[in-house]
Amino acid sequence: EVQVVEFGGGLVQPGGSLRLSCATSGFTFSQYWMTWVRQVPGKGLEWVANINQDGSEKYHVDSVKGRFTISRDNAKNLLYLQMDSLRVEDTANYYCARVTPKSKFDPWGQGTLVTVSS
Amino acid sequence: DIVMTQTPLSLSVTPGQPASISCKSSQSLLHTDGKTYFYWYLQKPGQSPQLLIYEISNRFSGVPDRFSGSGSGTDFTLKISRVEAEDVGIYYCMQSIQLPWTFGLGTKVEIK
């Protein structure tokens, strides 16, 4: 079964850092782009970042550029999102998803909640 | 950024009746490769989003044929031919022709 599972969320103070991880299984991780999408509780979806198969291409939404970094470890089948200089407005549920050919997001994980608050 | 505008923002439907959701993009989603990078996702209550439709009209694996997508360029429509109780949730359109990839605000579908 193809699966992605996020972890690493939690409560952090403004200005702090957190690293999210996404464990994958059931597919050849190194052959797929991966993505992070976030959702403020009760609100809509916002694409955050993409990374290509070998990590040589990375794209981030402007609101997180310079603060968040997507990365991956193909040997461990893990996707990461390093989040620095966190702001209250970064509070959200963070989902990882596999990007299949034709840019389809499937599957999505269950999400990990990041709360930025003092 | 490409803005995705969904209408309506909410919909209350009698089971067995049809439903329709519109999504308009601020720029054409037709790529030079001939593909249109437009998608519909459904987020059921308490769940993660799931892919319904890709490239305007292609149903994803396991999606019932009561769901259909249509449109071109900047105007797209998702239709449910006969709404069932399991179809409740928030439907999002999305584009991936241009970074940043963007979603519509969502359309909440409820059962009457």
Side-chain angles (χ1 to χ4, degrees):
Chain A
E1 181 190 3
V2 175
Q3 253 190 325
V4 299
V5 178
E6 307 90 339
F7 57 96
L11 175 64
V12 61
Q13 291 189 337
S17 296
L18 209 56
R19 187 176 82 160
L20 305 184
S21 300
C22 172
T24 69
S25 59
F27 65 99
T28 305
F29 179 66
S30 61
Q31 293 182 356
Y32 291 88
W33 282 74
M34 297 293 294
T35 192
W36 287 98
V37 175
R38 66 183 178 183
Q39 183 175 38
V40 174
K43 301 297 184 182
L45 302 168
E46 180 184 34
W47 169 79
V48 174
N50 280 355
I51 188 168
N52 73 337
Q53 290 89 338
D54 65 4
S56 60
E57 292 184 53
K58 305 177 184 182
Y59 303 95
H60 301 78
V61 69
D62 281 352
S63 58
V64 309
K65 275 181 186 173
R67 300 187 301 120
F68 292 11
T69 304
I70 190 172
S71 64
R72 64 192 297 159
D73 185 332
N74 285 346
K76 296 181 179 178
N77 296 332
L78 286 169
L79 176 71
Y80 302 107
L81 186 67
Q82 177 66 41
M83 303 187 296
D84 299 320
S85 303
L86 280 160
R87 304 169 180 168
V88 170
E89 55 265 34
D90 295 319
T91 294
N93 204 18
Y94 285 75
Y95 297 100
C96 74
R98 182 181 67 167
V99 184
T100 64
K102 303 182 192 293
S103 302
K104 305 189 297 290
F105 293 177
D106 176 74
W108 299 57
Q110 83 292 344
T112 186
L113 181 62
V114 173
T115 303
V116 185
S117 174
S118 55
Chain B
D1 298 1
I2 295 178
V3 177
M4 306 294 283
T5 302
Q6 285 183 239
T7 55
L9 294 183
S10 67
L11 203 50
S12 185
V13 188
T14 301
Q17 292 301 301
S20 181
I21 300 170
S22 171
C23 182
K24 297 183 189 297
S25 58
S26 59
Q27 299 176 36
S28 175
L29 304 184
L30 175 61
H31 195 274
T32 53
D33 65 8
K35 298 183 176 65
T36 300
Y37 290 87
F38 178 82
Y39 310 81
W40 288 103
Y41 288 87
L42 166 60
Q43 187 172 30
K44 295 184 178 182
Q47 296 186 19
S48 306
Q50 59 189 80
L51 177 63
L52 285 180
I53 302 280
Y54 63 97
E55 292 182 4
I56 303 178
S57 59
N58 297 283
R59 277 188 303 275
F60 190 56
S61 175
V63 174
D65 61 8
R66 63 179 180 274
F67 290 92
S68 64
S70 63
S72 64
T74 60
D75 288 1
F76 307 93
T77 302
L78 175 70
K79 292 184 178 177
I80 311 173
S81 58
R82 296 173 304 280
V83 172
E84 298 188 5
E86 65 179 24
D87 300 336
V88 298
I90 303 176
Y91 291 76
Y92 295 95
C93 58
M94 194 203 90
Q95 66 80 21
S96 64
I97 193 173
Q98 179 187 108
L99 291 170
W101 294 355
T102 49
F103 293 87
L105 292 180
T107 296
K108 187 173 185 178
V109 173
E110 300 175 320
I111 296 294
K112 279 184 182 174

